[in-house]
Amino acid sequence: MTTAPAEIATRASGDRPAGRRRIPVRHKGAIAVFIVPFGILFVLFYLIPILQAVWQSMLVVEREGTFGEATEVFGGFAQYALVFQNGPFWASVVRVLTFGIVQVPVMLGLALLFALLLDSPLVKGKRFFRLAFFVPYAVPGVIAAIMWGFMFSPNLSPFTALTQNVDFLGADLVLWSIANVVTWVFVGYNMLIIYSSLLSIPTELYEAARLDGASQWRIAWSIKIPLVRPAILLTAVFSIIGTLQLLAEPQVFASFSSAVISTYTPNMTIYATASVPNSSLAAAFSVVLALATFALSFTFLKITQRKDAAE
């Protein structure tokens, strides 16, 4: 089959043939109605605050004389130099990373287990258990931390026989007491994400596996878990971000335990620095923490993608 010279010229020039004209987009006004409000809110409450934080982190305070009026001037990366010299801040980063290495796998493991149980035909009363697993997430983090703080306190807990012998609020265990609160709150949230992914798997796969003699355990291990891997990775990224942003729970536990100091987590360090007030240094802390969170999440995704490609 030959191609007409006119058609060749048309393709070479990048123009579409007469019979393949671009379909015009309809209802552009309706599309704008939905996009413009989001764009305005995104710029006002996301983009501008980020730019403001970056600019604030570039400022330093100068005074004329000992008691002169303080003025903010451009100082370049002076605040970032102070960030990298701040030992308590980096100690708090190491603390939350240690927290995440243990807490995140435990939380996601429980979420996956509960999701598989809800998806199993052997479990009865799925509606009740689905609601029961999710209810803790409906409790605000501050309320949950107060509740568990009372339960861990030796003199206030209803389990005094245990709390008077095990110091859950001591320096050695308070981090893991906080991890217990975070796990209790967010297991149900992550479980719903994984469970929703399980519901999207075609039932024909299960029927074929049962015809081949596969047990429920084998179906879960060989079919369900591999197919919900993207949902598990999504919850893992959310959990990594949440770990580095840990604030409400340790701040509440500071009222119950002297081991939780003002620089216990990176966000607590930022909050304490801004309260001095030293907003420029706090902004520099925030920018560095945001970049560290992005780098850690991006690295995690790249590693998992390479493993998937290798398999």
Side-chain angles (χ1 to χ4, degrees):
M1 181 179 179
T2 59
T3 304
E7 185 177 352
I8 295 176
T10 301
R11 293 180 182 179
S13 62
D15 297 330
R16 295 175 179 270
R20 299 182 183 179
R21 293 181 179 178
R22 183 176 180 178
I23 300 175
V25 178
R26 298 181 179 181
H27 310 296
K28 293 182 179 180
I31 295 173
V33 167
F34 287 102
I35 294 178
V36 170
F38 166 79
I40 293 173
L41 294 175
F42 178 81
V43 171
L44 289 178
F45 298 103
Y46 191 83
L47 188 58
I48 290 179
I50 290 176
L51 296 176
Q52 174 64 25
V54 173
W55 171 250
Q56 186 68 41
S57 68
M58 298 287 186
L59 302 179
V60 295
V61 176
E62 289 187 353
R63 294 179 183 272
E64 294 183 2
T66 305
F67 302 102
E69 183 180 356
T71 56
E72 288 185 333
V73 298
F74 183 77
F77 295 100
Q79 299 292 359
Y80 291 96
L82 295 177
V83 169
F84 288 101
Q85 295 170 11
N86 192 291
F89 174 74
W90 294 107
S92 69
V93 172
V94 172
R95 187 177 293 113
V96 296
L97 288 177
T98 305
F99 171 96
I101 289 172
V102 176
Q103 188 268 337
V104 170
V106 170
M107 178 177 63
L108 296 186
L110 289 173
L112 176 61
L113 175 62
F114 293 156
L116 291 173
L117 287 174
L118 288 177
D119 194 59
S120 172
L122 304 178
V123 175
K124 305 299 181 182
K126 293 182 181 181
R127 292 184 178 180
F128 169 78
F129 287 110
R130 185 166 63 242
L131 179 62
F133 292 150
F134 185 73
V135 161
Y137 180 69
V139 178
V142 173
I143 303 301
I146 293 173
M147 179 184 69
W148 281 99
F150 277 110
M151 293 181 68
F152 287 138
S153 297
N155 300 324
L156 303 174
S157 174
F159 310 104
T160 53
L162 176 63
T163 55
Q164 288 181 354
N165 293 297
V166 180
D167 189 7
F168 289 103
L169 300 178
D172 295 332
L173 293 179
V174 68
L175 181 66
W176 310 116
S177 298
I178 296 171
N180 172 79
V181 179
V182 176
T183 302
W184 182 79
V185 171
F186 286 99
V187 160
Y189 169 79
N190 293 307
M191 177 211 69
L192 279 185
I193 295 177
I194 298 172
Y195 181 61
S196 300
S197 182
L198 284 170
L199 293 178
S200 66
I201 299 175
T203 56
E204 291 82 0
L205 294 177
Y206 303 150
E207 295 172 359
R210 282 192 290 268
L211 289 175
D212 289 339
S215 62
Q216 289 297 324
W217 164 254
R218 185 64 177 175
I219 291 173
W221 181 259
S222 300
I223 297 177
K224 293 183 179 182
I225 294 179
L227 291 179
V228 299
R229 183 180 175 87
I232 297 173
L233 294 180
L234 177 66
T235 56
V237 172
F238 287 165
S239 301
I240 291 171
I241 296 172
T243 296
L244 289 172
Q245 294 180 345
L246 194 64
L247 175 64
E249 292 81 5
Q251 193 139 18
V252 172
F253 267 66
S255 303
F256 297 95
S257 173
S258 59
V260 181
I261 58 178
S262 61
T263 58
Y264 197 73
T265 68
N267 267 346
M268 289 182 70
T269 304
I270 295 169
Y271 180 81
T273 304
S275 301
V276 171
N278 190 344
S279 56
S280 295
L281 182 58
F285 279 135
S286 301
V287 173
V288 171
L289 181 61
L291 292 175
T293 303
F294 169 77
L296 188 60
S297 303
F298 183 78
T299 302
F300 174 79
L301 285 176
K302 283 298 181 182
I303 291 173
T304 53
Q305 287 174 358
R306 287 181 181 178
K307 288 184 178 179
D308 289 341
E311 293 174 358

